[in-house]
């Protein structure tokens, strides 16, 4: 056992301290705390440790609003006062931009969420005894759950037995907009509808869709503010959420998505005869020769690994005048923004949107414009 002073929180939510000059990462801590830990993994450049005791707690530490805090892997920041969660997310993004992207940005705004009861989507697991719950923190063990404080109340029906669940699936997605509950394995063929900024968006429970509808209502208008023109690209378009709004502002919207199911809904959501749809990855779209500009604007919403090398190179070389980058990973966002800004773009603005309160997960939107002469 060792004592450790926590310097800061890092991307991924863990705390960072140093023992004899070597970095040690610890979950469940806050900057400024003095803690007792046990090293559980040794690497050449860093160690990982388990928290045993908080010796000097931060004033931002609170009693978690869930009895499964620290056991369930769904929420890793339940012990942090919500206002401090927001501040720490800003700090993490600011440091990632500077260290990885070589971009200094002192002021970063963040749009808050309701701290609890804000998640409209959950992935549920079934253990060997048939009990339903979430994956355990730092393990492959399933933690049985009877109620979850971060989801909208109708989803709790899955755990208390008032909502039917599928047989034969060890993992399934549940979605509720507060009015209905749809469960993967039962409602796969059911068309779901929700409203974003008053616009009807259709999708199915098997498609990816953002899980915090209240914050999504804030993100969409900010991300697309002042975009207009003849041609736009919605890359990694999913069910066409952004494309549906772009279709009002551009004569032609090009939607690219590798999921055939999601793209089938994009056809429904992006309305207009001139819009085009490509059922392939963005990399395949570029390689096929179909990625022909110019585009007045492009929206990219990649998965956690960020933009691939080919996509970054295409954006830098293509005639894309304005770019909106929606990211769920501050490290890959910083990497990509660094390359884009070094080559062809200027970072005009960046804002965080707290889709996942009580967790260290961060959603960010960056707005870029092409540098003059590039």
């Amino acid at each position: 056992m060792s004592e450790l002073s926590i310097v800061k929180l890092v991307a991924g939510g863990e705390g960072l301290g140093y023992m004899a000059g070597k970095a040690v990462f610890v979950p469940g801590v806050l900057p400024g705390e003095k803690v007792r830990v046990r090293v559980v993994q040794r690497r050449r450049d860093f160690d990982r440790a388990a928290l045993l005791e908080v010796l000097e707690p931060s004033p931002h530490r609170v009693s978690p609003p869930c009895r499964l805090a620290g056991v369930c892997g769904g929420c890793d920041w339940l012990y942090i006062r919500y206002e401090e969660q927001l501040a720490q997310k800003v700090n993490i993004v600011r440091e990632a931009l500077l260290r990885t992207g070589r971009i200094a940005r002192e002021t970063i705004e963040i749009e808050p969420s309701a701290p609890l009861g804000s998640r409209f989507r959950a992935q549920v697991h079934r253990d060997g005894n048939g009990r339903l719950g979430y994956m355990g923190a730092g393990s492959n063990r399933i933690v049985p759950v009877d109620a979850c404080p971060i989801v909208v109340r109708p989803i709790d029906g899955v755990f208390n037995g008032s909502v039917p669940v599928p047989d034969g699936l060890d993992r399934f997605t549940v979605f509720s907009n507060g009015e209905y509950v749809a469960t993967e394995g039962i409602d796969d063929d059911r068309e779901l509808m929700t409203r974003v900024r008053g616009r009807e968006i259709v999708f199915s429970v098997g498609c990816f869709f953002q899980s915090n509808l209240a914050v999504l209502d804030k993100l969409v208008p900010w991300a697309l503010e002042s975009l207009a023109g003849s041609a736009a690209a919605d890359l990694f378009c999913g069910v066409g959420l952004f494309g549906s709004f772009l279709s009002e502002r551009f004569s032609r919207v090009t939607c690219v998505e590798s999921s055939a199911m999601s793209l089938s809904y994009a056809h429904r959501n992006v309305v207009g005869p001139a819009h085009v749809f490509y059922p392939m990855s963005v990399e395949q779209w570029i390689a096929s020769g179909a990625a022909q500009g110019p585009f007045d604007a492009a929206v990219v919403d990649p998965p956690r690994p960020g933009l691939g090398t080919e996509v970054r190179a295409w954006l830098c070389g293509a005639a894309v005048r304005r770019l909106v980058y929606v990211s769920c990973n501050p490290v890959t966002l910083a990497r990509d923004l660094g390359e884009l800004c070094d080559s062809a773009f200027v970072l005009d603005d960046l804002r965080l949107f707290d889709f996942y309160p009580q967790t260290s997960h961060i959603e960010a939107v960056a707005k870029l414009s092409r540098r003059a002469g590039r």
Side-chain angles (χ1 to χ4, degrees):
M1 294 186 295
S2 304
E3 292 187 3
L4 187 69
S5 295
I6 304 303
V7 176
K8 61 184 175 181
L9 299 185
V10 299
E14 293 178 307
L16 169 66
Y18 293 91
M19 288 184 188
K22 188 178 185 182
V24 181
F25 296 101
V26 190
V29 296
L30 273 159
E33 289 189 330
K34 187 174 183 179
V35 296
R36 183 172 286 119
V37 301
R38 181 182 71 251
V39 174
V40 295
Q41 185 182 66
R42 296 189 185 277
R43 299 280 185 90
R44 185 179 65 179
D45 297 326
F46 65 89
D47 293 338
R48 294 196 182 279
L51 175 65
L52 300 179
E53 183 182 359
V54 178
L55 302 174
E56 296 178 9
S58 164
H60 301 297
R61 180 175 286 274
V62 297
S63 178
C66 178
R67 66 180 183 83
L68 296 176
V71 179
C72 170
C75 303
D76 56 343
W77 275 10
L78 279 164
Y79 64 94
I80 304 176
R81 189 183 311 278
Y82 183 61
E83 293 75 15
E84 183 63 12
Q85 293 181 31
L86 299 177
Q88 289 299 325
K89 291 182 180 187
V90 168
N91 290 341
I92 287 169
V93 171
R94 184 187 293 115
E95 179 166 347
L97 288 173
L98 187 60
R99 289 173 59 89
T100 305
R102 303 170 305 283
I103 297 171
R105 195 164 191 90
E106 187 60 32
T107 301
I108 300 175
E109 294 186 28
I110 183 167
E111 290 284 353
S113 169
L116 299 172
S118 58
R119 294 282 291 274
F120 291 76
R121 182 173 175 268
Q123 189 171 86
V124 179
H125 296 258
R126 178 185 277 113
D127 70 12
N129 296 315
R131 297 174 300 182
L132 301 178
Y134 298 134
M135 297 301 297
S139 76
N140 293 321
R141 185 172 62 91
I142 296 169
V143 176
V145 172
D146 52 21
C148 175
I150 68 163
V151 298
V152 292
R153 294 283 64 82
I155 291 180
D156 272 341
V158 169
F159 301 118
N160 64 34
S162 62
V163 171
V165 297
D167 295 325
L169 289 182
D170 293 333
R171 182 179 66 183
F172 55 91
T173 298
V174 182
F175 180 89
S176 172
N177 70 349
E179 299 174 1
Y180 60 77
V181 178
T183 306
E184 188 178 10
I186 294 178
D187 298 304
D188 297 37
D189 297 327
R190 178 181 174 187
E191 180 178 289
L192 308 182
M193 187 277 290
T194 195
R195 286 181 172 82
V196 179
R197 303 295 297 182
R199 177 185 291 272
E200 291 187 358
I201 304 293
V202 294
F203 58 101
S204 79
V205 70
C207 300
F208 173 78
F209 197 78
Q210 286 286 7
S211 62
N212 192 318
L213 298 182
V215 177
L216 187 61
D217 264 353
K218 301 177 183 179
L219 183 151
V220 168
W222 190 86
L224 305 184
E225 180 185 18
S226 76
L227 294 184
S230 298
D234 185 5
L235 309 182
F236 312 92
C237 75
V239 301
L241 170 67
F242 292 113
S244 69
F245 289 90
L246 292 172
S247 67
E248 291 183 331
R249 301 159 177 250
F250 294 85
S251 304
R252 174 178 168 137
V253 178
T254 298
C255 298
V256 183
E257 170 56 47
S258 60
S259 166
M261 179 190 297
S262 293
L263 196 65
S264 70
Y265 284 100
H267 277 274
R268 304 270 305 282
N269 292 320
V270 185
V271 179
H275 308 313
V276 290
F277 303 84
Y278 290 91
M280 59 186 67
S281 70
V282 176
E283 289 82 358
Q284 290 170 330
W285 176 67
I286 293 169
S288 73
Q292 299 297 320
F295 293 101
D296 297 298
V299 177
V300 296
D301 187 3
R304 287 187 62 79
L307 300 175
T309 304
E310 306 95 325
V311 181
R312 298 197 301 271
W314 178 81
L315 286 168
C316 289
V320 175
R321 189 168 63 88
R322 298 178 66 183
L323 176 64
V324 175
Y325 189 145
V326 183
S327 169
C328 59
N329 184 334
V331 176
T332 54
L333 172 66
R335 176 203 66 198
D336 294 348
L337 290 182
E339 182 171 327
L340 292 169
C341 292
D342 282 347
S343 177
F345 289 91
V346 175
L347 178 60
D348 297 320
D349 206 350
L350 183 141
R351 184 172 294 188
L352 310 186
F353 293 82
D354 197 24
F355 276 85
Y356 308 102
Q358 313 305 332
T359 80
S360 58
H361 296 298
I362 299 171
E363 195 85 4
V365 180
K367 297 179 180 180
L368 302 94
S369 56
R370 185 165 290 276
R371 191 182 303 131
R374 300 307 295 265

